[in-house]
Amino acid sequence: MSQHQLSDLTEEGLRAYVGEQLERSRRRTAQLADAVDTDDLVKQHSKLMSPLIWDYAHIGNQEELWLVRDVGGREPLRQDIDELYDAFMHPRADRPTLPLLGPVETRAYVEEVRDKVLDVLDHVKFDGGRELVDNGFAFGMIVQHEQQHDETMLATHQLRRGVPVLDAPPPPPGRRLAAPEVLVPGGVFEMGTSVEPWALDNERPAHAVRVAPYVIDTVPVSNGDYLRFVTGGGYRDPQWWSEAGWAHVQKASLAGPRFWELVDGEWWQLRFGKREQLPMDEPVMHVCFYEAEAYAKWAGKRLPTEEEWEFAARFDPATGRTRRFPWGDESPSPQHANLGQRHLGPAPVGAYPAGASPLGVEQLIGDLWEWTSSDFSPYPGFRAFPYDEYSLVFFGPEYKILRGGSFATDEVVARSTFRNWDYPIRRQIFAGFRCARDPRPEELRA
């Protein structure tokens, strides 16, 4: 079952699907919280992140606000904690100083909220003329909210010190690629969506965009490729960096991706508490926008725009049609993409040939978020829904767009139209990049 097909379900079928998604998300949240002891649950592992216990209770509080009170019209359970768990009221660095609910109280609260939500779900009328519940939108928004915070909690686990507590099987192996780049002919395609029932406001509405021809990397930039930039003095040479990027390199004393280290002439990385030799065939991760931009310039390329990224992911030149996903219209399967914390890192480049786009571009969905050169801005005809604070307050040049989702992103979020955004200095997120360039004249004549 996919979100795209929700409108085809009966009301009882939609009710069952929503219930499954709520339960699946909660299992993941509980797993991430229960993996650590009480001390690790309540402490702040980095000032960039909230304590895990804040995320846990915040998930429950948002569920109460939207599904219990708004959709269900029920009385508040804990109106007294609304301010504590309002993400706009308190910066992450300050959250440990708040009188947060403890672990026992948090678990009891989120369980009570969920019991109320399931009762609301049993009685809600999806055809009641309310846009908020049309095709189960409010429930889908809350499911996605929980999964997004689960990814945030996983990023907190990566920053945590101590013995490893998470485990997962390795991803499939990579393979040799037929070509390192793909020539994209350009054209007009339908960017965004007006039909995905659970798509969020900044993905809407669908609109026609013309893209000029360009060349894009077949797969994301690998650790081995990026290492050549590092060892070639890329972090010591200002010619590769924008003015803002070079200022950040100096201020933050950057010398390589976060979690990399050089020991006795060998490169290692730290991943969820385990130190391992740097896997050269994996996509480089934990680099900020400025690092991605500098590497691209060093390589004689640039970062793709958001439009170029989505065109490569969705356009089928044989039919002129815009697909839902690179591989077609069906929802992601384990053969298509590395999603949902199935593995604890990106797969080697070339690991998902079944997920390739019609043009032959691979690993566009899953593995890692990909920085683009685009600022976060609204689409033509944008309408904030159901509240301004999801997208509207963030539009502007201070945020850069990331696309595609990571190994930590759930399939309920990982649409080809989904737009992520962050400050260009952020490195704790599961982000990497691929490069693009303008085609040479002889390539266009071929």
Side-chain angles (χ1 to χ4, degrees):
M1 173 58 61
S2 71
Q3 293 175 41
H4 192 61
Q5 299 166 314
L6 293 185
S7 57
D8 297 330
L9 290 176
T10 64
E11 188 161 288
E12 288 310 307
L14 179 56
R15 213 182 303 280
Y17 177 77
V18 167
E20 290 167 6
Q21 297 306 312
L22 288 167
E23 173 59 27
R24 198 169 59 82
S25 299
R26 186 53 45 84
R27 283 199 304 269
R28 185 181 179 194
T29 305
Q31 176 194 12
L32 290 163
D34 295 346
V36 296
D37 60 24
T38 299
D39 287 344
D40 272 353
L41 195 58
V42 301
K43 74 184 294 186
Q44 187 174 47
H45 299 277
S46 165
K47 290 189 179 298
L48 294 173
M49 311 300 282
S50 307
L52 289 167
I53 199 66
W54 186 92
D55 285 288
Y56 201 174
H58 170 75
I59 286 168
N61 184 245
Q62 288 296 295
E63 193 168 313
E64 183 194 347
L65 288 171
W66 286 100
L67 301 184
V68 177
R69 300 186 203 172
D70 198 326
V71 173
R74 312 292 176 87
E75 289 297 314
L77 278 73
R78 290 294 304 267
Q79 200 164 16
D80 58 306
I81 65 172
D82 288 353
E83 184 180 317
L84 292 177
Y85 298 103
D86 185 332
F88 288 89
M89 292 293 291
H90 306 283
R92 287 178 174 178
D94 297 343
R95 289 170 189 171
T97 66
L98 303 173
L100 304 176
L101 302 181
V104 173
E105 209 175 357
T106 294
R107 288 186 173 96
Y109 170 63
V110 298
E111 287 176 9
E112 185 179 7
V113 170
R114 177 52 59 85
D115 286 343
K116 299 289 186 184
V117 166
L118 293 178
D119 187 60
V120 170
L121 179 61
D122 283 342
H123 295 91
V124 68
K125 297 296 183 184
F126 292 116
D127 59 353
R130 293 182 66 192
E131 187 178 10
L132 190 62
V133 295
D134 186 32
N135 288 311
F137 176 82
F139 293 90
M141 179 181 71
I142 288 301
V143 167
Q144 291 177 83
H145 175 265
E146 181 159 1
Q147 290 286 2
Q148 288 171 286
H149 272 273
D150 288 345
E151 180 162 355
T152 299
M153 292 172 75
L154 190 63
T156 302
H157 271 274
Q158 170 65 11
L159 292 162
R160 168 187 166 273
R161 297 177 182 272
V163 297
V165 296
L166 299 176
D167 196 23
R175 76 187 204 288
R176 185 180 296 276
L177 302 170
E181 298 176 315
V182 172
L183 173 65
V184 181
V188 177
F189 82 113
E190 185 179 80
M191 187 172 185
T193 181
S194 297
V195 298
E196 290 284 347
W198 288 1
L200 303 171
D201 61 3
N202 63 61
E203 301 171 65
R204 300 173 180 271
H207 55 290
V209 173
R210 179 175 293 279
V211 177
Y214 62 100
V215 176
I216 193 166
D217 289 351
T218 304
V219 292
V221 171
S222 69
N223 285 327
D225 290 335
Y226 197 86
L227 182 59
R228 288 192 284 276
F229 173 65
V230 175
T231 57
Y235 281 82
R236 300 188 299 273
D237 192 339
Q239 71 170 308
W240 309 123
W241 302 81
S242 65
E243 183 178 347
W246 184 243
H248 179 62
V249 167
Q250 295 177 302
K251 180 180 178 181
S253 300
L254 300 187
R258 187 159 190 175
F259 306 113
W260 281 25
E261 60 179 350
L262 181 63
V263 180
D264 296 330
E266 291 190 333
W267 286 92
W268 297 73
Q269 71 176 7
L270 185 66
R271 179 147 56 196
F272 298 111
K274 298 177 182 178
R275 183 165 278 103
E276 59 187 24
Q277 282 194 305
L278 187 67
M280 297 300 174
D281 59 349
E282 279 188 14
V284 65
M285 189 167 63
H286 297 300
V287 289
C288 70
F289 168 82
Y290 293 131
E291 291 169 290
E293 183 183 50
Y295 173 92
K297 185 175 181 181
W298 173 83
K301 301 182 181 183
R302 57 177 173 80
L303 294 180
T305 66
E306 181 182 17
E307 292 81 3
E308 288 172 334
W309 187 96
E310 190 169 326
F311 188 89
R314 301 184 65 203
F315 186 69
D316 184 351
T319 64
R321 195 172 69 84
T322 302
R323 295 178 167 195
R324 293 185 66 227
F325 292 100
W327 53 84
D329 291 340
E330 67 269 29
S331 293
S333 73
Q335 289 71 45
H336 292 132
N338 179 10
L339 293 166
Q341 204 179 311
R342 188 180 300 116
H343 311 292
L344 285 176
V349 295
Y352 291 95
S357 75
L359 292 162
V361 189
E362 300 185 18
Q363 288 171 279
L364 287 155
I365 300 296
D367 286 308
L368 41 74
W369 293 101
E370 298 185 18
W371 290 107
T372 73
S373 63
S374 298
D375 298 337
F376 186 38
S377 58
Y379 289 159
F382 167 82
R383 177 176 67 92
F385 177 78
Y387 61 111
D388 289 351
E389 289 79 12
Y390 183 70
S391 303
L392 185 63
V393 299
F394 295 103
F395 290 141
E398 62 266 39
Y399 294 99
K400 290 295 183 180
I401 286 285
L402 304 103
R403 300 297 296 264
S406 76
F407 68 92
T409 305
D410 188 76
E411 65 177 59
V412 79
V413 177
R415 292 177 294 277
S416 295
T417 57
F418 188 88
R419 308 172 78 198
N420 191 7
W421 66 94
D422 215 327
Y423 291 113
I425 64 171
R426 289 291 185 249
R427 305 208 302 168
Q428 85 278 14
I429 57 177
F430 303 116
F433 64 101
R434 74 180 71 217
C435 298
R437 62 177 174 84
D438 297 337
R440 295 183 290 270
E442 63 271 20
E443 291 175 310
L444 293 176
R445 291 194 297 266

